[in-house]
Amino acid sequence: MICEESFRAVVREIGQQVEVWRDGVLLGTGYAYLEPVFDREDQFQPTDLGLRRRETQICYGQAALPLDPAPGETLVKAGGDTYRVISSHAVKEGPYRIFWRVCLEWREEDEA
């Protein structure tokens, strides 16, 4: 499909390689473009121990990435950071998936 091929070429040029994990199992790798979202809410949230970083990203990922909503915790690892998948939506043209639009939240490595 032409649209998917065009998206794949663009995301390989401006994006980065990512890994998709679900419940500790590597499901796949591919390319995605991550864009920070600063205007929606505070980037730091109060906790019992002080402030915690809350970084939200919008991710545009290749159609082949296994980002479909499924039970379990889905993580995206990109550039040394780990993000928890909050929601995912397949962008389609007719019956064909062109790319994924995913909302991610930064996750500290020591979070269980």
Side-chain angles (χ1 to χ4, degrees):
M1 171 129 242
I2 293 173
C3 291
E4 181 185 348
E5 292 171 10
S6 298
F7 177 82
R8 189 176 354 183
V10 170
V11 80
R12 286 179 72 97
E13 186 69 29
I14 65 170
Q16 58 187 306
Q17 190 160 20
V18 299
E19 297 177 342
V20 178
W21 294 76
R22 185 171 296 130
D23 294 330
V25 176
L26 177 63
L27 297 181
T29 61
Y31 285 86
Y33 174 72
L34 279 70
E35 181 178 312
V37 178
F38 295 118
D39 61 341
R40 303 240 173 122
E41 50 193 57
D42 292 334
Q43 294 298 304
F44 291 92
Q45 294 182 326
T47 69
D48 293 340
L49 300 174
L51 292 178
R52 180 178 80 84
R53 176 180 166 194
R54 183 175 195 277
E55 180 181 319
T56 306
Q57 302 266 338
I58 297 295
C59 170
Y60 302 96
Q62 287 181 304
L65 286 171
L67 291 166
D68 54 315
E73 183 179 50
T74 303
L75 302 176
V76 173
K77 295 185 178 185
D81 286 321
T82 302
Y83 300 91
R84 180 181 298 111
V85 173
I86 304 300
S87 65
S88 63
H89 171 74
V91 177
K92 297 181 176 183
E93 179 179 317
Y96 304 103
R97 184 172 56 227
I98 301 192
F99 64 91
W100 288 102
R101 185 176 187 276
V102 183
C103 181
L104 303 173
E105 181 180 65
W106 181 76
R107 177 179 182 239
E108 292 188 50
E109 284 299 318
D110 61 348
E111 283 186 46

